[in-house]
Amino acid sequence: MSDVVITVRGEHEARVAPEEGVVRLSVRAEGPERGGVVERISALAEPLRTDLGTRKQQGGVREWSSQRVAVWANRPWSSDGKQLALVHYASVEFSAVFTDFAGLSWWITEIAERDGVQVDGIDWQLTRTTAKQAEADVAAEAVRVAVDRATAYARAIGLGSVTPLEIADVGLLSRDDPSPAPMARMMKASFAADAGGAPGVELQPEDIIVSAAVEARFSAR
């Protein structure tokens, strides 16, 4: 019997505990006078900058950033269709990467009680080193799955060995299903208020799913 070409797909995924929590929050203020609004937003934002800077020095925060204050104004409309007096608005956004999850939980609960502060969300992620290693591991396992599958096909038709001809990420071996692999999917935090209505935060970090898929072509004989 002449050689038979076998084309298969191998997939694998792993779950890895998150190592960092990326919190996103915004500080907002509004009022009838532009100067007063700017002063108010500065007073609200400065303690956050100081706090995050201290946490970075202590090691609980790997990095953080804040945007410049954005200021704008418009005239809102009343319920009866009348345009009201000019209102000035200001906002500044923060982002911080926490490595201390206990500290993050406490910090989020505390700042959520502050006037003008809104927590926009938390994403969980791996460090670059861990993500790179996890992606390499699942990619290698996906290749092993492809080899095992091709070998099983070969044995099913009475052939004994397979030789790899091509191995590629999904979509590179052919034009079908051009989705990249491997990849890591970040998970979001969930928030919950306690029974008393206080702005408590319940952090539930889920494992990061790292997945890989490959297409492989083998010669069987």
Side-chain angles (χ1 to χ4, degrees):
M1 179 184 293
S2 60
D3 290 1
V4 175
V5 175
I6 299 175
T7 303
V8 296
R9 175 170 173 161
E11 300 172 318
H12 185 69
E13 73 174 32
R15 293 178 176 270
V16 186
E19 299 170 297
E20 297 178 336
V22 184
V23 59
R24 294 170 285 105
L25 59 90
S26 55
V27 181
R28 302 177 184 275
E30 63 180 71
E33 301 294 334
R34 185 180 188 280
V37 170
V38 172
E39 290 180 2
R40 177 60 177 163
I41 198 70
S42 298
L44 293 173
E46 190 57 35
L48 291 176
R49 293 191 178 96
T50 301
D51 189 11
L52 289 172
T54 299
R55 290 177 180 275
K56 181 178 180 181
Q57 292 179 349
Q58 295 174 344
V61 171
R62 179 169 62 81
E63 63 180 15
W64 68 275
S65 64
S66 67
Q67 298 183 356
R68 291 183 178 180
V69 176
V71 182
W72 69 97
N74 62 32
R75 294 181 182 274
W77 296 83
S78 67
S79 58
D80 57 2
K82 293 183 179 180
Q83 195 169 27
L84 303 178
L86 190 67
V87 178
H88 295 268
Y89 303 88
S91 69
V92 58
E93 296 181 352
F94 286 81
S95 176
V97 181
F98 276 75
T99 57
D100 176 9
F101 290 178
L104 170 59
S105 179
W106 180 89
W107 189 72
I108 288 295
T109 301
E110 192 272 329
I111 65 169
E113 299 179 354
R114 298 184 186 181
D115 183 36
V117 177
Q118 175 179 310
V119 179
D120 299 320
I122 302 174
D123 294 328
W124 305 105
Q125 67 183 23
L126 304 174
T127 63
R128 293 181 181 178
T129 300
T130 300
K132 183 178 180 179
Q133 185 61 54
E135 290 172 357
D137 291 343
V138 296
E141 188 60 33
V143 172
R144 284 190 285 270
V145 170
V147 172
D148 291 344
R149 184 171 293 172
T151 301
Y153 289 172
R155 290 175 178 173
I157 57 176
L159 301 178
S161 63
V162 295
T163 302
L165 300 176
E166 294 180 82
I167 298 177
D169 287 347
V170 172
L172 298 182
L173 194 64
S174 65
R175 293 183 179 275
D176 298 329
D177 191 14
S179 56
M183 68 177 185
R185 300 200 295 272
M186 293 192 302
M187 299 300 177
K188 295 185 179 294
S190 59
F191 296 81
D194 61 24
V201 177
E202 180 183 355
L203 298 183
Q204 296 178 335
E206 299 180 356
D207 288 345
I208 305 297
I209 300 175
V210 184
S211 61
V214 298
E215 291 175 341
R217 189 164 287 141
F218 299 84
S219 173
R221 64 174 60 187

